[in-house]
Amino acid sequence: MKSITLNTKLNRLIGEITIPGDKSISHRSVMFGSIAHGETKITNFLPGEDCLSTISCFRKLGVSIEEEDNQIRISGNGIEGLKEPIDVLDVGNSGTTIRLLMGILAGRPFFSSLVGDSSIGKRPMTRVTGPLAKMGAVIDGRNSGSYTPLSIRGGKLNPIQYELPVASAQVKSALILAGLQAEGITQIIEPSETRDHTERMIRQFGGVIDKENKIITVKGGQKLTGATIHVPGDISSAAFFLVAGAIVPGSEIVLKNVGLNPTRTGIIEVLKNMGADLEIISDESDSFEPAGDLVIRTSSLKGTVIEGDLIPRLIDEIPIIALLATQAVGKTIIKDAEELKVKETNRIDTVVNELKKLGASIEATDDGMIINGKSNLHGGTVSSHGDHRIGMMLAIAALVSDGEVFLENPEAIAVSYPNFFEHLKSLTN
Ligand code: S3P
């Protein structure tokens, strides 16, 4: 699929969709199942390309993983059961796969090499390779270990006390996974709280991890035991339909099974601050990852300011929040979000450039963007630039644009939401 013509100005989106499994939790469930002892069963696994890359890497490390209808069964032999791969480990487009995997491989006494696609080739790896090298792993790669292809020879690790220079759940998780293999106690200090799926997952697999005032403490040498994991829906995928429901006139969408982990719910706060008619209609907070059902209805929206500790709690939602802001009255300012520059694309530039092509009033800043609404968007030719979340944002933008929108590279959407277009279509019937 090289390009598609998208629905133009729609009157309403009505119906109910069940949000597919969370990408971050799906990755981690396979990783922990692969390093635990015994059987792990995962339900509602996300069959997106990124998570399939994680499965493929662990198979190459000798783990037996069976997949059937979004259910996964893993027979784990413990972290010591991982075997030296005879082939390169290809992470595709997935930053989570490569960074977390490096944390695991850092403590394994063998050689591995890691590659990914052209987007992965531009993403900074020193933030992980630097502290892992300090712990004792031998890592090399392009530009002195800064970019893929990377090679890693793991072995005995020293614990570390490390203050993260940027708020990143991927870096934190890589260091936790290495810390689980180090001799002694590893401490990681976060500048702002980031998604805590790794911490929750460790407890689910019978391990111990402590967190107090942004300081995470983990002891090496713990034995993890296989578990049953039910993956809740991905709030980052739900976000596209939350925004669509808020901005397409006359809409009412029920979103079932949305993950409501408080480290991920920044989008809900922003929608409410902007005046959206959003309700949580059921909430299961007692499970290891909270989830619930949401309903969103069209409403009048106003601009807002998004900054500080809120940024890591909605970092992946900023492209769709930018579109939301084009449909709100007044100015929306997004700041403290420099990290957007090192996502699947430079998301400050891609969001601003693509939305401008549809007539939005939006300007890039050094650490975010400023949007002036409300704009009447028009048709045009836009591109995902190979970035799944940019592709979905532009598909939703088409619903409020006058004139046809041609989206180039829509196939990137399969990275995190393979049935996105089916879900969208089901709401228009
Ligand atoms: C993720 C962490 C975030 C996020 C990414 C998934 C994770 O990245 O943007 O989509 O699963 O840990 P950073 O750690 O780079 O902030």
Side-chain angles (χ1 to χ4, degrees):
M1 200 178 2
K2 278 269 175 298
S3 85
I4 51 167
T5 308
L6 295 162
N7 311 32
T8 50
K9 210 146 189 173
L10 258 188
N11 277 330
R12 54 192 200 140
L13 294 169
I14 302 278
E16 181 179 297
I17 49 179
T18 301
I19 299 299
D22 185 280
K23 183 156 81 70
S24 292
I25 300 172
S26 293
H27 281 301
R28 286 161 173 80
S29 61
V30 169
M31 293 183 180
F32 278 94
S34 297
I35 64 171
H37 291 265
E39 188 163 277
T40 287
K41 192 177 153 207
I42 307 162
T43 52
N44 199 39
F45 179 80
L46 172 71
E49 286 166 8
D50 266 14
C51 300
L52 298 178
S53 295
T54 292
I55 291 186
S56 139
C57 289
F58 279 91
R59 283 191 176 136
K60 287 184 182 171
L61 289 160
V63 183
S64 156
I65 305 176
E66 286 168 43
E67 283 171 71
E68 205 186 315
D69 297 335
N70 302 354
Q71 291 212 20
I72 309 283
R73 261 176 210 282
I74 305 177
S75 305
N77 290 315
I79 202 159
E80 3 16 93
L82 298 181
K83 296 197 173 66
E84 186 168 64
I86 57 168
D87 198 1
V88 291
L89 303 173
D90 187 348
V91 304
N93 188 244
S94 177
T96 305
T97 308
I98 192 162
R99 294 198 175 116
L100 272 62
L101 188 52
M102 279 199 286
I104 293 175
L105 297 174
R108 294 301 84 217
F110 54 67
F111 174 84
S112 317
S113 50
L114 296 137
V115 297
D117 68 6
S118 59
S119 156
I120 280 290
K122 293 187 201 124
R123 300 187 69 182
M125 293 298 152
T126 318
R127 50 180 62 194
V128 185
T129 57
L132 290 178
K134 278 194 186 140
M135 293 177 82
V138 180
I139 305 178
D140 207 348
R142 189 162 50 91
N143 202 346
S144 311
S146 309
Y147 297 101
T148 56
L150 288 166
S151 68
I152 178 159
R153 183 172 288 283
K156 196 166 156 307
L157 295 180
N158 308 308
I160 193 173
Q161 199 191 46
Y162 190 72
E163 212 171 316
L164 294 180
V166 286
S168 162
Q170 291 176 352
V171 179
K172 170 182 71 173
S173 302
L175 299 182
I176 292 173
L177 286 158
L180 280 172
Q181 303 174 75
E183 285 179 12
I185 290 176
T186 289
Q187 276 197 327
I188 302 145
I189 301 130
E190 292 194 276
S192 291
E193 196 182 14
T194 62
R195 62 191 70 193
D196 65 355
H197 306 303
T198 302
E199 295 90 314
R200 288 171 186 257
M201 194 74 73
I202 286 186
R203 297 189 189 110
Q204 203 65 10
F205 281 81
V208 178
I209 185 159
D210 196 57
K211 187 168 182 182
E212 218 171 306
N213 298 330
K214 299 178 187 159
I215 303 178
I216 295 138
T217 307
V218 66
K219 197 170 167 203
Q222 298 184 41
K223 183 176 170 187
L224 302 175
T225 314
T228 298
I229 301 290
H230 179 72
V231 181
D234 198 327
I235 192 167
S236 298
S237 298
F240 296 98
F241 290 104
L242 287 172
V243 169
I247 65 176
V248 174
S251 298
E252 178 172 310
I253 309 175
V254 174
L255 301 158
K256 308 271 292 179
N257 181 39
V258 181
L260 294 174
N261 178 319
T263 61
R264 298 280 301 279
T265 47
I267 177 75
I268 292 182
E269 282 167 40
V270 166
L271 277 159
K272 287 194 168 157
N273 286 342
M274 293 176 83
D277 180 355
L278 170 63
E279 261 178 85
I280 299 180
I281 49 180
S282 85
D283 187 354
E284 273 177 48
S285 309
D286 50 335
S287 60
F288 95 106
E289 284 283 357
D293 299 339
L294 308 179
V295 60
I296 182 92
R297 298 181 195 92
T298 317
S299 49
S300 326
L301 302 162
K302 58 180 193 308
T304 188
V305 178
I306 303 168
E307 61 186 332
D309 282 351
L310 185 54
I311 295 294
R313 296 180 53 232
L314 47 64
I315 187 74
D316 291 340
E317 286 65 82
I318 291 178
I320 192 68
I321 289 173
L323 171 66
L324 177 70
T326 69
Q327 302 307 298
V329 175
K331 192 188 284 255
T332 292
I333 302 172
I334 301 172
K335 51 185 176 187
D336 304 322
E338 302 86 343
E339 273 296 295
L340 290 174
K341 294 179 182 166
V342 291
K343 295 295 177 190
E344 285 82 334
T345 53
N346 175 335
R347 284 186 178 159
I348 296 182
D349 289 352
T350 44
V351 166
V352 169
N353 294 338
E354 297 310 300
L355 280 175
K356 268 190 179 167
K357 290 181 190 166
L358 300 179
S361 165
I362 179 168
E363 294 304 327
T365 61
D366 266 357
D367 64 349
M369 53 195 89
I370 298 175
I371 303 118
N372 278 299
K374 179 179 180 177
S375 292
N376 285 323
L377 300 184
H378 54 66
T381 298
V382 288
S383 172
S384 74
H385 293 272
D387 183 333
H388 53 130
R389 300 199 203 282
I390 301 295
M392 288 185 274
M393 180 275 283
L394 293 167
I396 301 300
L399 305 176
V400 289
S401 299
D402 282 312
E404 282 184 336
V405 173
F406 299 98
L407 173 63
E408 293 172 348
N409 294 110
E411 68 281 352
I413 291 171
V415 156
S416 65
Y417 203 155
N419 51 353
F420 172 78
F421 285 111
E422 271 165 56
H423 278 182
L424 183 54
K425 191 156 183 284
S426 74
L427 298 171
T428 61
N429 288 330

